[in-house]
Amino acid sequence: MRIELIALLFFQIRDAFNQRQAEECLRASREYQRDAGDQAARLGQLGALFTSLDVGDAITLTSSFSHMLNLANLAEEVQMVRQKKMEASRRGGFADEGSAPTESDIDETIQRLVHGLGKTPREVFDALRTQTTDLVFTAHPTQPVRRSLLEKHDSIRTRLTQLSVEDISENEKQEIDEALQREFLRRFDTALKNIGIDERLPYDVPLIQFSSWMGGDRDENPRVTPEVTRDVCLLARMMAANMYFSKMGSLMFELSMWRCNDELRARADELHRLSSRKYDKYYIEFWKQISPREPYRIILGDARDKLYNTCERAREILSHGESSIPEDHTYRSFLEPLELCYRSLCDCGDQLIADGSLLDFMRQVSTFGLCLVKLDIRQESERHTDAVDAITTHLGIGSYRNWPEEQRQEWLVSELQCNRPLFGPDLPQSDEVTDVLGTFRVIAELPEDSFGAYVISMATAPSDVLAVELLQRECGVKKPMRVEIMIGYSDSGKDAGRLSAAWQLYRAQEEIVDVAERHGVKLTIFHGRGGTVGRGGGPSHLAILSQPPNTVNGSLRVTVQGEVIEKSFGEENLCFRTLQRFTAATLEHGKNPPVSPKPEWRALLDDMATVATEEYWSIVFQEPRFVEYFRSATPETEYGRMNIGSRPSKRKAGGGIDFLRAIPWIFAWTQTRFHLPVWLGFGAAFRHAIGTPSGLATLREMYEEWPFFRVTIDLLEMVAGHNDLLESDPYLRQRLMLRDSYITALNVCQAYTLKRMRDGEFRPATRPPLSTELLEERN
């Protein structure tokens, strides 16, 4: 079925373009791959074919090949979802919650913990009640596919799904869609019921939370200003209030009963007396005063009024900078009236109704709140140093920037312990300092539930954290944001290579856990993983299960990079799969942590990391010709000129690899299919390990028993495309074969396009444009 879908999409694209040119390029690409002899000659022929195309035709052809690869991914997604649904249908339908399907990730994890590892059902339930996985959506790397094209992909995905579904009516489709919208947390209820826990997870369990950097990540991004941050928060509030407003009407229709407990009756009577006699004409339903015999509708109607005001206040501030609607007529949190209705229904024997749409709505509100997603603020530590330096210079006590770390800490702690203001409106400010202080003032101005964490990038000392705490206080932030320093995989990998970076980050987490335990601090580690292996990416569940023992403990924070959001959350079933994988892996790591590495494993990996780093540095930073080679072999320079990034490609102008951001560094190598940052240094490290006494036996033991080491090696093997891996996974081999001709053609086209751009003497002969050929054929 997968092959049929891909073939169907290919013929549609081929017919939309020019069949002759497309097949000519693909045929040359296949011959290049098959010919084990003179590949250089074949490569030249393929390159000559592309360079002979008119520029406009080349763009159209490469775009069609790129679309083909994207559509192949879509076809595989649809097939994967179809297979999952078939498995689910064998376990039960959507209509009966007691037999509702559960993804294997969470159901099998719970079954394995109870029946395989001896955990009691109550232990698993209690762990889930307190577990939190916070997924942080980032704006970089920027999703390169335009939004309009993503919407077209979604439409195609829907059509392919319809092709793969037989004997199902429109009503059944609608029923399934509605069930999907509410079933994520109910899947956990079902999985728990399967181990004998009839109690539901509480509606406010923080099982999955969502945060965002979009509009808050100002690390070297001049476009993210304090005004942008304010607008993003208000837009999110307006969208959330509007979404809940529409759902509130449906709930008012459902809860028409008059029987309620005394608590709700008293509140309803009070609200009815205070309600206005004026009709609210802007409502479609329930726009007249609600009867006192409908107490639930009175409570929900008042909540609906405040949601309307919340949405309108945000809209007016966005449009005019101020609002005529008083803040006390709006909501900062509206769970309380829903909780009141839930308690009343349960007290009156209507728990079945309470556990229906109302419970689903409460879970939704508890997860997303009125902020939709909590906005993180991210800024580079040097910017805070600039702001504090401006203050100390204005006060005449010296330059904070030039102070040693000990003096910085002493002064910051002293100022945090007293309440006097440090500066007034006469503080001289550069544009950078104005931006930093303006951001803190926006944080003070907006509702505190709008924000998540304040993330400091490039932090190196305790003073970097203390400076943020002081600036928050000075700018009037009443409830200071928690300050976080992220475990950074991208820059560390660029600086030391994949093996050394992974091992040092592993050790750093162990040390952080020890410090937290000594001081009685509950720790949540924030993993700044990228989408690619070179930036810490890889299968999410394996990444979590390979973390050091005691570093998760039911609490995890991890980035979801911009370029993989669509892949992980772009379709409902894929979204559920992603969420369950994160939750299941977090649960399993906490209840069944991986083994700690043996002393001999640590010693060997220490030596291997040292050798790998030396090898990596000798080429990337010490070889004088490397920068020239890097810029010649990859499109890094051209990347920097394209309008596809959320920030400049370098942290500082000029310089070499040191100031280049990790994203263009990794992406440039990915474009060449060379992946140098992933494997460079591994060979030298393994040669060293194998050359030591019992080194090979120790490596085998590490691979078999230590999840961290096994995942590290498996990811390297995946990137390297080892033949043994392809032989053991025929499905993966088939997927690669379907794409090889297109990818090879695109790579060759890119290489020769770069040559044409860089070499003024390279002027190949070109064919007439396709439009001219078509006109000649018709005449």
Side-chain angles (χ1 to χ4, degrees):
M1 183 66 180
R2 182 183 300 112
I3 302 299
E4 292 172 1
L5 291 177
I6 293 175
L8 172 65
L9 293 172
F10 169 71
F11 287 122
Q12 292 293 328
I13 284 187
R14 189 191 66 178
D15 291 343
F17 185 60
N18 177 273
Q19 179 176 344
R20 184 179 63 224
Q21 287 190 350
E23 291 189 349
E24 189 177 356
C25 292
L26 288 174
R27 183 171 58 253
S29 177
R30 294 189 190 103
E31 289 174 357
Y32 164 72
Q33 291 175 293
R34 285 197 298 263
D35 193 342
D38 192 358
Q39 285 199 325
R42 290 291 188 187
L43 180 62
Q45 292 173 10
L46 184 57
L49 177 59
F50 272 106
T51 54
S52 70
L53 295 176
D54 172 74
V55 172
D57 291 347
I59 292 173
T60 306
L61 181 64
T62 53
S63 295
S64 69
F65 284 2
S66 178
H67 286 317
M68 183 58 220
L69 293 170
N70 285 326
L71 294 176
N73 293 338
L74 281 180
E76 289 183 346
E77 286 178 12
V78 170
Q79 178 65 10
M80 180 177 64
V81 168
R82 182 171 179 269
Q83 289 175 341
K84 287 289 180 182
K85 285 183 175 179
M86 289 173 64
E87 294 173 8
S89 66
R90 289 193 290 268
R91 292 194 296 265
F94 286 100
D96 180 9
E97 185 190 331
S99 59
T102 58
E103 284 282 337
S104 61
D105 295 315
I106 189 62
D107 197 38
E108 289 183 7
T109 296
I110 291 177
Q111 294 288 339
R112 183 166 59 254
L113 289 174
V114 173
H115 301 298
L117 298 172
K119 306 297 180 183
T120 67
R122 178 52 59 175
E123 282 182 290
V124 173
F125 180 76
D126 290 341
L128 284 172
R129 286 182 60 179
T130 57
Q131 179 175 307
T132 300
T133 304
D134 190 356
L135 303 181
V136 184
F137 296 122
T138 76
H140 71 284
T142 311
Q143 166 60 266
V145 182
R146 295 170 58 197
R147 184 174 178 180
S148 58
L149 188 55
L150 290 176
E151 291 175 353
K152 289 181 173 67
H153 285 174
D154 188 55
S155 177
I156 293 170
R157 185 188 286 115
T158 301
R159 300 297 179 268
L160 291 177
T161 301
Q162 291 172 348
L163 285 174
S164 63
V165 175
E166 300 175 358
D167 301 325
I168 182 170
S169 68
E170 286 299 319
N171 288 337
E172 289 172 321
K173 288 180 182 178
Q174 184 177 354
E175 184 179 324
I176 290 174
D177 287 342
E178 291 174 354
L180 278 170
Q181 292 174 18
R182 63 175 183 264
E183 73 165 321
F184 173 64
L185 286 175
R186 290 187 179 271
R187 289 182 176 186
F188 287 84
D189 293 336
T190 303
L192 288 168
K193 195 169 186 178
N194 291 339
I195 60 170
I197 297 289
D198 290 329
E199 186 178 352
R200 294 182 182 276
L201 283 174
Y203 68 87
D204 57 349
V205 62
L207 204 58
I208 285 284
Q209 295 183 327
F210 298 96
S211 301
S212 173
W213 283 6
M214 301 174 198
D217 182 6
R218 59 228 322 117
D219 180 10
E220 296 296 329
N221 189 344
R223 297 181 183 86
V224 181
T225 62
E227 293 74 26
V228 167
T229 297
R230 179 190 290 108
D231 289 352
V232 166
C233 289
L234 290 171
L235 276 170
R237 206 164 198 82
M238 186 171 70
M239 291 173 66
N242 190 53
M243 178 178 68
Y244 296 146
F245 176 84
S246 62
K247 290 183 176 293
M248 191 66 76
S250 300
L251 204 57
M252 290 174 71
F253 265 110
E254 182 177 341
L255 301 185
S256 60
M257 61 284 293
W258 60 268
R259 185 176 58 178
C260 63
N261 65 10
D262 293 340
E263 181 186 17
L264 189 137
R265 173 65 64 189
R267 175 78 62 84
D269 289 345
E270 180 184 4
L271 289 174
H272 189 265
R273 284 195 302 271
L274 297 175
S275 65
S276 170
R277 294 290 177 180
K278 296 180 180 179
Y279 298 152
D280 295 321
K281 297 287 188 181
Y282 42 77
Y283 292 151
I284 296 175
E285 303 287 353
F286 302 110
W287 53 273
K288 291 185 177 181
Q289 189 179 36
I290 298 173
S291 164
R293 289 187 57 80
E294 299 173 329
Y296 291 97
R297 287 179 171 174
I298 292 175
I299 299 295
L300 297 176
D302 180 68
R304 183 182 62 168
D305 291 343
K306 289 187 177 179
L307 282 173
Y308 179 86
N309 289 336
T310 301
C311 182
E312 285 299 292
R313 178 178 167 82
R315 185 187 61 78
E316 289 178 5
I317 294 175
L318 276 168
S319 302
H320 311 295
E322 59 183 5
S323 173
S324 59
I325 301 174
E327 191 171 1
D328 60 357
H329 289 188
T330 66
Y331 267 127
R332 289 207 172 192
S333 170
F334 75 106
L335 263 175
E336 191 273 336
L338 302 179
E339 292 170 334
L340 177 59
C341 291
Y342 187 87
R343 287 195 302 271
S344 176
L345 288 169
C346 293
D347 290 347
C348 296
D350 292 323
Q351 174 127 18
L352 188 63
I353 297 174
D355 285 340
S357 300
L358 177 59
L359 178 61
D360 290 330
F361 190 33
M362 292 169 67
R363 284 172 161 174
Q364 187 180 58
V365 173
S366 181
T367 299
F368 296 100
L370 272 168
C371 60
L372 207 57
V373 290
K374 291 186 179 295
L375 185 68
D376 282 2
I377 303 296
R378 182 174 181 250
Q379 182 60 280
E380 188 180 9
S381 60
E382 280 295 304
R383 289 294 190 91
H384 307 130
T385 300
D386 292 340
V388 179
D389 184 77
I391 295 171
T392 59
T393 302
H394 180 61
L395 294 174
I397 59 176
S399 172
Y400 175 85
R401 178 177 296 282
N402 297 329
W403 291 352
E405 174 63 19
E406 185 177 348
Q407 184 179 357
R408 288 185 180 189
Q409 290 185 35
E410 183 180 351
W411 182 79
L412 290 167
V413 170
S414 172
E415 290 301 327
L416 283 167
Q417 290 174 343
C418 64
N419 294 321
R420 64 181 176 88
L422 279 175
F423 63 90
D426 61 336
L427 175 70
Q429 301 176 30
S430 65
D431 290 343
E432 290 78 9
V433 171
T434 299
D435 182 82
V436 169
L437 298 180
T439 300
F440 284 113
R441 292 189 178 109
V442 167
I443 296 170
E445 166 194 336
L446 293 172
E448 62 190 36
D449 69 328
S450 301
F451 299 102
Y454 196 102
V455 182
I456 310 171
S457 63
M458 310 305 287
T460 58
S463 63
D464 291 329
V465 178
L466 294 171
V468 173
E469 293 289 349
L470 182 63
L471 291 172
Q472 287 194 83
R473 191 198 71 182
E474 290 300 311
C475 293
V477 180
K478 294 179 181 177
K479 184 178 179 181
M481 296 175 65
R482 70 180 187 275
V483 179
E484 291 186 351
I485 297 172
M486 186 174 62
I487 301 290
Y489 292 78
S490 298
D491 283 299
S492 55
K494 180 176 78 73
D495 293 341
R498 179 73 171 81
L499 177 63
S500 301
W503 175 229
Q504 293 305 321
L505 289 173
Y506 186 100
R507 294 179 57 185
Q509 290 182 70
E510 290 181 317
E511 294 173 9
I512 293 171
V513 167
D514 289 341
V515 172
E517 288 179 349
R518 287 201 304 271
H519 294 276
V521 174
K522 182 176 180 355
L523 182 68
T524 298
I525 294 182
F526 185 12
H527 297 268
R529 290 185 173 275
T532 57
V533 174
R535 298 179 52 241
S540 55
H541 60 294
L542 292 179
I544 295 171
L545 294 176
S546 65
Q547 296 303 309
N550 303 317
T551 57
V552 176
N553 286 334
S555 182
L556 178 72
R557 205 161 192 257
V558 62
T559 55
V560 180
Q561 301 287 326
E563 86 275 25
V564 299
I565 291 177
E566 170 69 13
K567 177 183 174 183
S568 301
F569 297 91
E571 194 272 338
E572 283 182 341
N573 289 277
L574 291 176
C575 175
F576 288 139
R577 256 187 108 191
T578 300
L579 295 179
Q580 288 196 86
R581 281 181 169 176
F582 274 109
T583 358
T586 303
L587 174 65
E588 184 167 359
H589 190 286
K591 303 309 295 180
N592 182 36
V595 299
S596 294
K598 297 177 181 179
E600 57 268 30
W601 298 353
R602 290 180 179 275
L604 182 59
L605 198 48
D606 280 340
D607 291 343
M608 291 174 66
T610 301
V611 172
T613 302
E614 290 174 353
E615 177 77 4
Y616 184 88
W617 269 69
S618 69
I619 294 176
V620 175
F621 296 105
Q622 295 169 359
E623 168 55 59
R625 298 169 297 172
F626 180 78
V627 173
E628 179 186 358
Y629 163 70
F630 170 57
R631 289 176 177 162
S632 298
T634 73
E636 180 266 333
T637 305
E638 288 74 17
Y639 255 168
R641 301 182 190 138
M642 296 176 70
N643 188 27
I644 60 171
S646 59
R647 65 207 61 229
S649 61
K650 295 182 179 179
R651 290 190 178 274
K652 295 182 180 179
I657 305 300
D658 308 63
F659 297 125
L660 183 68
R661 287 185 174 273
I663 293 172
W665 164 253
I666 293 295
F667 276 25
W669 287 113
T670 302
Q671 286 292 303
T672 67
R673 301 168 70 179
F674 196 44
H675 301 292
L676 178 141
V678 178
W679 54 259
L680 184 59
F682 265 92
F686 274 85
R687 283 193 300 271
H688 170 80
I690 293 171
T692 61
S694 69
L696 184 58
T698 303
L699 287 173
R700 285 174 174 160
E701 183 184 42
M702 292 163 65
Y703 182 83
E704 292 171 0
E705 300 181 20
W706 188 14
F708 165 78
F709 189 73
R710 181 170 60 253
V711 168
T712 302
I713 301 305
D714 286 350
L715 288 175
L716 172 66
E717 187 179 41
M718 179 183 71
V719 170
H722 198 282
N723 287 335
D724 290 346
L725 176 63
L726 296 181
E727 289 298 326
S728 63
D729 192 342
Y731 170 55
L732 176 61
R733 185 171 68 251
Q734 182 193 48
R735 293 174 65 191
L736 294 178
M737 287 174 60
L738 286 169
R739 292 164 170 79
D740 272 345
S741 298
Y742 301 98
I743 295 173
T744 298
L746 288 170
N747 283 148
V748 171
C749 183
Q750 182 185 71
Y752 277 85
T753 301
L754 290 174
K755 181 176 177 62
R756 179 183 289 180
M757 294 169 63
R758 296 171 177 179
D759 186 356
E761 302 297 321
F762 183 64
R763 296 188 181 92
T766 60
R767 302 179 183 182
L770 175 60
S771 57
T772 304
E773 289 186 21
L774 291 176
L775 284 174
E776 291 175 352
E777 288 178 1
R778 289 171 183 171
N779 293 331

